[in-house]
Amino acid sequence: MNTEETILALNKHFPALEAVSNRPLRVFTAFAEPKAFEETLRYANLTLGYHKGKHIIGTDEGENIGLSYIISNDEDVLLVLRERVPKSAPHVHSMGELYPSLMLHEREMVDLFGVQVSGLPEGPRYPLPDCWPDGEYPMRKEWNPAYFNKQTVTYEPPKQEDAK
Amino acid sequence: MSDYREKNKVVVQIGPQHPSLKEPGSFKITLDGEKVERAVIEIGYNHRGIEKACESRNYIQALYIIERVCGICSHAHTSCFCQAFEEIAGLEVPRRAHYIRGIVGELERLHSHLLWLGVASHEIGFDTLFMYTWRDRELVLDLLARIGGNRVNYGVNTYGGVRRDLEPELMQDILTVCDLLEEKLKYYADLALTETTLIARLRGIGTLLPEDVRKYSAVGPVARAAGIMDDVRITEPYGVFREIAVNGITDDHCDVYGRTLVRVKEMLEAIRLIRIMVKEIPDGPISVRPPRKLPVGESLSRVEAPRGEDIHYIRSNGGESPDRVRVRAPSEANWHGMSHMLEGFQLADVPIIIAAIDPCYSCTDRAIHLIGDGINQLTDWAQIRALSIEQYKARGIDPGSIKIREF
Amino acid sequence: MLLSIFKVLVFPGLLFLGTYSFLLEFIDRKVYARMQNRKGPPWYQPMADMLKLIGKKVIVPRNAQKFVFAALPTVSLAAVCAAFLCIPVFGSTAITAYSGDLVAVLYLLTIPTLCHFLAGYNSHEVYSTIGAFRTLTQMFAYEVPLFLAFLSPAILAGSWSISGIAAFYMAHPLYTLINIPAFLVSLLASQSKLERSPFDAPEAETEIVGGALVEYSGRYLAFFRATAITELTAMASVLAALFLPFFTGSVWLDFALYLVKTFSIVLVMVLLRATMARIRIDQTLKFFWSILTPIAMAQMILNLLLRGGLGL
Amino acid sequence: MGLFDKAIAWGEKNSPWIIHFNAGACNGCDIEVVDALTPQYDLERLGILQQGSPKHADVLVCTGAVTLQTRDRLKQIYDQMSTPKFVIAVGTCACTGGIFDSCYCVTGGIDTVVPVDAYIPGCAVRPEAIIDAVGKLLATFDQKEAKGK
């Protein structure tokens, strides 16, 4: 299942993805809704043979958060599937049973981007330290490290910053 | 779990400060006698927030931070980052730069594997081999100091090529060091095959079978020791490996002993590659002028670091500083299988199994919290959840603080 | 009276034991370092370590009994010094030679191991408890072959006193060749008794940090380290007295021979320590019980037959 | 007893046992610290041994910028060591937080947590610098003894 076959198969089943490849062994797709994304991921894992879960990249897209899942198969084609989740209600299902190795990165999305991933096993905070204030998501664009006081571990943006 | 069995279990906390760990990582090992029954791994002590820092720096400064993600495989990280940059910018790197990157990359693989062999033998109490391997490693470090100016973060890479050129007599010294190292490595290779106490300690522990490797998607020597050919230089040749073929090394022991053999053979392979590269290095410029601002775009680049496949992702919005930088270090992929590898073996094997994946915590600065349920007893989901919540409340960590909504 | 006090306290007794132990520890660490082609410590290093440890503040863990915590190091050091007095050092007879002192020496030399276990168990800390239990399990491994190996030359010599055994072998030097297997077994067993690599699972630095002595610091740790090195001297001297009993008439020449013998035994122990990896506690048990104990038993039976057959 | 104290001071000067803790470094400095113990730079000739437990050691060799997670663990290790004890900050990150100082998770150098006696700068500090620093630290033992610390 090399790059061209993957693109053909994906575009046939999920035309909304516009799977494209700008260089060998890479397939990028457009952002999708969580429901459609889960279907595509299950389809890629079971039928297309993409069983290796490599990585999850969280990106801040203005008012919603993008999660790009990077998976690959035996021919090492890197397929990037993306889903978009609004910041107001960032709920996502965990893909732990399909990709056990991605549970770790999903746990990281919980801490760094504030995405609520359901189905993750319980565990302490990760990767941020235990003394990190709740509700602070450092990787979001509006979170400015300058206003984070490291000694008292509190985040106090100046007042007019909040008003804006 | 009957209460009595639970009570006489010893929970050993290894780390974050422990002589066998060169870096902070903590392991809560539940022991049944001397046998490891459950392993809970927490790293994340090295989480410094590198990705956020890169977003507020321009590309040249970001390269400095990327180089210091990990002290041992710094060249692998910078080459991967530069490749991603060059892909977006569409730069054509001169062939000589590719060759120099390849030589420094293989030298780094040599010193990283020698370092691992030393640390692993220190874990099993074989200090003589530890001293020998680190003494030989000094030869490689002095070479890297002459090439890059610094023993550890040599900073040879820059966008569009390399910063330092290799003079002819430096290349001659590289060849002499290679000859010296080759005969020492042959001594270590047959030492690993014949020394009985070494084999007794390494054989049959920390096994990761091929199907587990696929399940936990382990990379690098851990996957190659289970017979799965997982080498980016072969599956997706980059830079100099488009012209020079690498013959992959696999082994089918699937355990710590297999990983030792794979790493020793890889060192011999690295020496062979260095000799070819030094012989066939073309003349020409060593770098091309990179643009200050990167056009809009994103790229995903892969490099074969000493510990496995290293993935870097850059997304630029046309400005001077990257919009998003993401680093997936090789050790991170190997952590997932760790608690699976630890269970069922002795406490004495825990340090060597942890060392066997050659963990680079600073690369990973991630933590895994896999509760390996060693007890084969059918419990449904709610029971496991309740048990684990009560378990963590007992240790003062209230998991309720993570707001996970139940569907 | 005064001469015997001088003998006990100064020359072949305690003062000599202290300085000679420091010397042997220096040789042990220096040769070990040179084998790893490192430069190794200066000659005064053992003294410096001991003095520094005495100067440091002692931290007693909260839930450990203070008196037991403090008494253990001194008890173990006293046991080893007492054992040393029954071993022939200056000439072929020891300071206090009485029939049955071989058995006394053996039991005095097991007291430090028990103190080591109690020290670990008493400090109620996970690492030290595991180290303590490993010390005991390892004791079950080496105790039987060690005793069998030590008692077989005694049976051949027909006397339980070390000086008596030495005198017997002085009369019949050829019989020492019979005890060669017992010598090898006791060498390995004493390497395990002194918890030196490859049998140092109980204080494996990379696994359980410090074994039973994790919680010790300051002068108690100094005493425990003193016990370790004096035990090394005592074991080397017993091995020399039992298995290499070559004595000439003159006392000074015997003393020089004693130094050469113990020196070479320690060198063999350093060679063992430098060339092997540390094996796990279950492998140690398997090794001792399946290989060394049969040899020691065979040696014992052979000596019994020879004793009966030759009618010595 | 002047002589006894002098002997102990001499003992301290000649056998500083170290314990190594990585408070969030890129492990470049850690491998250089261990490098200093191996044949080419062997620190054992100065009487330096690496110990496992804080109670056995007198010098805490700390590398790396202190991340929030390792902050209180570093404090615990420092408290467990028995006096007289010293702290050496190895590497630029340990001295001032170095290149990671502006990161959100890093609280700066070692001295923000424990009192530091010697700073060794250098991004990936060289083993020669470590040996020089140990020499200088041993020299300060005398002033400390003279001050009767």
Side-chain angles (χ1 to χ4, degrees):
Chain A
M1 177 57 76
N2 61 24
T3 328
E4 289 72 24
E5 288 151 5
T6 326
I7 293 178
L8 280 177
L10 278 178
N11 283 341
K12 191 153 61 63
H13 278 83
F14 305 95
L17 283 185
E18 309 119 17
V20 72
S21 164
N22 55 12
R23 56 165 290 201
L25 294 178
R26 293 288 185 285
V27 176
F28 290 94
T29 58
F31 277 95
E33 292 314 312
K35 272 287 159 286
F37 165 78
E38 269 158 43
E39 263 172 69
T40 335
L41 201 72
R42 222 171 289 282
Y43 170 73
N45 185 347
L46 302 177
T47 46
L48 298 186
Y50 279 80
H51 57 81
K52 287 189 205 162
K54 292 278 180 191
H55 204 27
I56 299 176
I57 301 175
T59 47
D60 188 328
E61 319 278 334
E63 63 297 321
N64 40 32
I65 298 169
L67 289 176
S68 325
Y69 280 62
I70 303 179
I71 47 180
S72 87
N73 59 5
D74 290 339
E75 284 86 23
D76 269 324
V77 176
L78 285 182
L79 170 60
V80 181
L81 294 172
R82 303 168 195 253
E83 63 175 326
R84 198 193 334 233
V85 177
K87 272 189 184 162
S88 49
H91 304 311
V92 168
H93 272 292
S94 156
M95 291 297 139
E97 71 284 355
L98 278 176
Y99 297 100
S101 60
L102 286 188
M103 277 198 280
L104 157 81
H105 303 301
E106 281 164 352
R107 182 176 296 283
E108 202 176 334
M109 292 304 128
V110 168
D111 250 13
L112 294 180
F113 282 92
V115 176
Q116 278 145 19
V117 183
S118 65
L120 272 177
E122 291 303 324
R125 268 217 98 87
Y126 161 74
L128 294 172
D130 304 337
C131 54
W132 189 265
D134 285 354
E136 293 305 324
Y137 305 112
M139 286 310 281
R140 288 190 178 177
K141 280 287 182 243
E142 72 273 10
W143 192 85
N144 188 337
Y147 302 137
F148 178 63
N149 179 333
K150 290 172 188 153
Q151 302 317 331
T152 61
V153 193
T154 51
Y155 183 70
E156 314 103 359
K159 278 301 147 265
Q160 79 285 1
E161 185 83 48
D162 272 4
K164 186 149 57 24
Chain B
M1 256 188 301
S2 69
D3 205 26
Y4 170 72
R5 263 189 68 195
E6 180 57 36
K7 207 168 261 74
N8 68 15
K9 290 273 188 330
V10 174
V11 178
V12 173
Q13 159 93 23
I14 297 186
Q17 187 275 331
H18 189 268
S20 75
L21 306 175
K22 291 290 167 272
E23 298 160 82
S26 85
F27 304 86
K28 289 190 178 52
I29 313 278
T30 318
L31 282 181
D32 187 357
E34 282 266 347
K35 205 163 79 60
V36 173
E37 194 212 86
R38 214 164 83 142
V40 167
I41 300 140
E42 278 149 27
I43 334 166
Y45 292 92
N46 268 4
H47 183 72
R48 297 151 284 186
I50 286 173
E51 281 147 17
K52 186 78 177 180
C54 284
E55 280 162 15
S56 57
R57 283 171 165 67
N58 69 38
Y59 279 102
I60 301 296
Q61 293 164 337
L63 191 62
Y64 273 91
I65 285 222
I66 290 291
E67 186 167 26
R68 282 150 179 85
V69 161
C70 153
I72 308 174
C73 41
S74 61
H75 180 78
H77 282 296
T78 43
S79 346
C80 200
F81 195 74
C82 294
Q83 252 176 344
F85 181 93
E86 284 142 13
E87 200 185 302
I88 299 177
L91 279 173
E92 185 41 45
V93 178
R95 273 181 74 230
R96 186 173 174 87
H98 277 310
Y99 271 75
I100 295 176
R101 259 189 203 165
I103 290 173
V104 177
E106 291 311 314
L107 279 175
E108 177 179 71
R109 197 183 311 281
L110 265 177
H111 103 76
S112 168
H113 282 334
L114 276 171
L115 180 141
W116 176 82
L117 194 57
V119 167
S121 48
H122 178 63
E123 302 299 355
I124 54 173
F126 198 11
D127 279 349
T128 314
L129 186 58
F130 169 51
M131 294 298 172
Y132 280 178
T133 41
W134 280 57
R135 171 203 64 196
D136 303 337
R137 183 173 157 265
E138 292 295 325
L139 301 169
V140 182
L141 282 184
D142 295 342
L143 258 186
L144 287 169
R146 283 177 59 194
I147 296 174
N150 189 348
R151 282 161 57 94
V152 178
N153 304 325
Y154 2 96
V156 165
N157 273 328
T158 179
Y159 303 120
V162 280
R163 274 179 341 120
R164 293 291 183 90
D165 200 346
L166 297 184
E167 299 81 18
E169 78 278 351
L170 183 53
M171 283 196 247
Q172 199 44 42
D173 290 349
I174 292 179
L175 290 180
T176 43
V177 163
C178 281
D179 304 340
L180 259 169
L181 270 185
E182 180 154 37
E183 134 257 313
K184 287 208 164 57
L185 282 173
K186 289 217 165 54
Y187 166 69
Y188 296 141
D190 70 37
L191 181 80
L193 294 175
T194 53
E195 167 51 38
T196 44
T197 50
L198 196 72
I199 296 174
R201 275 309 297 275
L202 297 179
R203 222 34 215 275
I205 55 168
T207 51
L208 202 64
L209 302 172
E211 55 274 11
D212 294 333
V213 167
R214 291 166 69 94
K215 180 174 162 226
Y216 291 111
S217 76
V219 284
V222 178
R224 290 195 282 273
I228 294 173
M229 188 60 244
D230 176 271
D231 190 332
V232 180
R233 295 175 297 179
I234 296 168
T235 51
E236 187 193 332
Y238 56 90
V240 74
F241 298 108
R242 292 197 186 98
E243 296 154 26
I244 298 175
V246 177
N247 36 39
I249 292 130
T250 58
D251 191 272
D252 47 14
H253 282 93
C254 316
D255 58 5
V256 175
Y257 184 59
R259 288 165 212 149
T260 318
L261 293 180
V262 162
R263 287 196 169 100
V264 171
K265 287 188 199 126
E266 256 174 29
M267 283 197 263
L268 292 168
E269 171 65 14
I271 287 180
R272 183 185 71 82
L273 285 172
I274 291 175
R275 286 207 180 104
I276 299 172
M277 285 191 236
V278 168
K279 193 151 40 63
E280 288 170 10
I281 187 161
D283 297 334
I286 56 169
S287 72
V288 173
R289 245 191 81 67
R292 268 190 71 73
K293 286 193 168 62
L294 211 55
V296 176
E298 62 182 350
S299 87
L300 206 58
S301 77
R302 300 197 307 182
V303 153
E304 181 61 25
R307 284 163 192 71
E309 176 202 35
D310 182 17
I311 300 176
H312 280 236
Y313 170 80
I314 302 183
R315 188 170 80 162
S316 78
N317 49 18
E320 268 186 8
S321 59
D323 174 41
R324 178 73 171 105
V325 168
R326 185 75 163 122
V327 173
R328 202 298 303 262
S331 321
E332 194 173 341
N334 295 333
W335 270 119
H336 312 303
M338 177 48 79
S339 65
H340 173 76
M341 276 197 254
L342 282 175
E343 272 135 30
F345 297 103
Q346 305 262 342
L347 172 68
D349 301 327
V350 165
I352 181 65
I353 295 174
I354 294 171
I357 66 166
D358 196 354
C360 178
Y361 301 69
S362 352
C363 275
T364 338
D365 65 24
R366 307 275 186 278
I368 298 183
H369 204 99
L370 303 178
I371 307 172
D373 199 343
I375 302 112
N376 37 37
Q377 164 204 23
L378 209 55
T379 51
D380 61 14
W381 170 246
Q383 209 175 5
I384 292 180
R385 230 175 92 73
L387 178 73
S388 49
I389 287 182
E390 164 252 20
Q391 182 83 25
Y392 284 101
K393 282 212 172 60
R395 278 189 297 127
I397 303 160
D398 175 11
S401 66
I402 298 180
K403 287 176 272 314
I404 291 178
R405 215 152 55 77
E406 221 20 53
F407 277 116
Chain C
M1 208 341 233
L2 214 56
L3 179 66
S4 60
I5 291 176
F6 170 79
K7 264 193 179 174
V8 167
L9 284 187
V10 178
F11 177 60
L14 300 184
L15 199 57
F16 164 74
L17 174 64
T19 45
Y20 193 50
S21 310
F22 280 148
L23 181 66
L24 280 186
E25 198 214 345
F26 163 66
I27 290 162
D28 177 27
R29 280 172 64 178
K30 187 74 173 180
V31 172
Y32 184 64
R34 292 308 293 159
M35 277 188 189
Q36 299 169 347
N37 58 50
R38 290 187 291 130
K39 193 157 183 317
W43 63 270
Y44 49 77
Q45 196 53 47
M47 267 78 78
D49 291 347
M50 215 52 74
L51 281 171
K52 180 211 67 175
L53 277 177
I54 288 171
K56 283 187 79 73
K57 183 166 81 68
V58 174
I59 301 174
V60 180
R62 201 181 18 260
N63 35 31
Q65 285 116 357
K66 174 118 185 48
F67 173 70
V68 173
F69 191 84
L72 285 176
T74 34
V75 164
S76 59
L77 187 60
V80 178
C81 297
F84 190 72
L85 299 184
C86 314
I87 302 166
V89 168
F90 187 68
S92 74
T93 57
I95 308 164
T96 58
Y98 51 91
S99 83
D101 63 12
L102 173 62
V103 177
V105 161
L106 283 181
Y107 277 101
L108 281 172
L109 285 179
T110 46
I111 290 179
T113 323
L114 291 178
C115 294
H116 210 259
F117 161 71
L118 283 175
Y121 190 68
N122 177 20
S123 25
H124 296 290
E125 202 261 343
V126 177
Y127 284 138
S128 59
T129 331
I130 291 180
F133 287 128
R134 279 191 181 179
T135 321
L136 267 193
T137 24
Q138 184 147 341
M139 191 170 158
F140 299 139
Y142 65 76
E143 206 65 9
V144 172
L146 186 70
F147 275 36
L148 285 178
F150 271 4
L151 297 185
S152 36
I155 288 173
L156 199 61
S159 104
W160 287 109
S161 136
I162 301 180
S163 316
I165 294 167
F168 171 80
Y169 283 108
M170 204 159 78
H172 315 272
L174 273 178
Y175 289 153
T176 52
L177 301 183
I178 302 167
N179 294 327
I180 297 295
F183 182 31
L184 299 179
V185 165
S186 55
L187 202 64
L188 283 176
S190 47
Q191 178 88 349
S192 158
K193 180 180 182 51
L194 302 168
E195 278 165 20
R196 294 159 59 87
S197 167
F199 306 112
D200 63 349
E203 45 104 20
E205 193 237 0
T206 52
E207 287 146 28
I208 39 173
V209 184
L213 303 182
V214 165
E215 293 303 321
Y216 271 76
S217 61
R219 56 184 184 283
Y220 299 143
L221 184 61
F223 275 99
F224 261 123
R225 280 178 70 89
T227 329
I229 40 178
T230 37
E231 209 178 351
L232 171 70
T233 328
M235 285 309 280
S237 329
V238 171
L239 286 171
L242 286 179
F243 295 102
L244 305 166
F246 313 109
F247 294 101
T248 59
S250 84
V251 175
W252 286 102
L253 207 54
D254 285 351
F255 179 61
L257 265 177
Y258 161 79
L259 292 181
V260 166
K261 283 186 247 175
T262 39
F263 195 83
S264 52
I265 286 175
V266 168
L267 282 188
V268 168
M269 284 188 173
V270 169
L271 184 67
L272 277 175
R273 175 175 171 213
T275 52
M276 277 192 267
R278 170 192 311 127
I279 55 177
R280 278 199 312 260
I281 194 80
D282 56 325
Q283 288 164 339
T284 327
L285 279 166
K286 211 182 290 130
F287 172 70
F288 270 96
W289 278 102
S290 62
I291 298 172
L292 289 190
T293 315
I295 296 176
M297 241 178 271
Q299 171 75 50
M300 172 72 84
I301 293 160
L302 176 72
N303 281 17
L304 277 172
L305 291 178
L306 279 178
R307 175 94 190 132
L310 292 178
L312 296 179
Chain D
M1 274 201 290
L3 182 66
F4 191 63
D5 293 343
K6 239 191 242 73
I8 288 186
W10 173 79
E12 256 162 36
K13 219 161 89 62
N14 285 305
S15 93
W17 287 355
I18 67 169
I19 171 170
H20 165 253
F21 181 60
N22 171 339
C26 76
N27 79 28
C29 297
D30 307 307
I31 47 177
E32 292 300 80
V33 166
V34 180
D35 243 355
L37 296 167
T38 46
Q40 179 144 349
Y41 298 99
D42 182 26
L43 273 181
E44 199 181 348
R45 60 175 144 227
L46 300 173
I48 289 165
L49 279 178
Q50 184 168 24
Q51 292 296 326
S53 137
K55 293 196 171 52
H56 297 185
D58 345 302
V59 182
L60 172 63
V61 174
C62 239
T63 60
V66 183
T67 58
L68 286 172
Q69 186 86 328
T70 55
R71 185 165 50 173
D72 48 8
R73 285 147 177 99
L74 178 62
K75 194 81 188 74
Q76 274 166 21
I77 288 175
Y78 182 73
D79 298 342
Q80 279 175 14
M81 287 167 68
S82 64
T83 53
K85 55 189 172 190
F86 302 90
V87 177
I88 297 187
V90 169
T92 326
C93 295
C95 301
T96 61
I99 198 168
F100 301 113
D101 202 15
S102 62
C103 298
Y104 55 84
C105 234
V106 165
T107 61
I110 303 286
D111 40 24
T112 57
V113 184
V114 285
V116 173
D117 292 290
Y119 295 90
I120 314 178
C123 191
V125 62
R126 301 182 65 84
E128 296 91 345
I130 295 177
I131 294 176
D132 178 41
V134 166
K136 289 198 172 71
L137 184 71
L138 298 186
T140 59
F141 273 18
D142 309 335
Q143 290 103 16
K144 277 227 168 59
E145 283 318 306
K147 283 209 307 297
K149 171 173 180 290

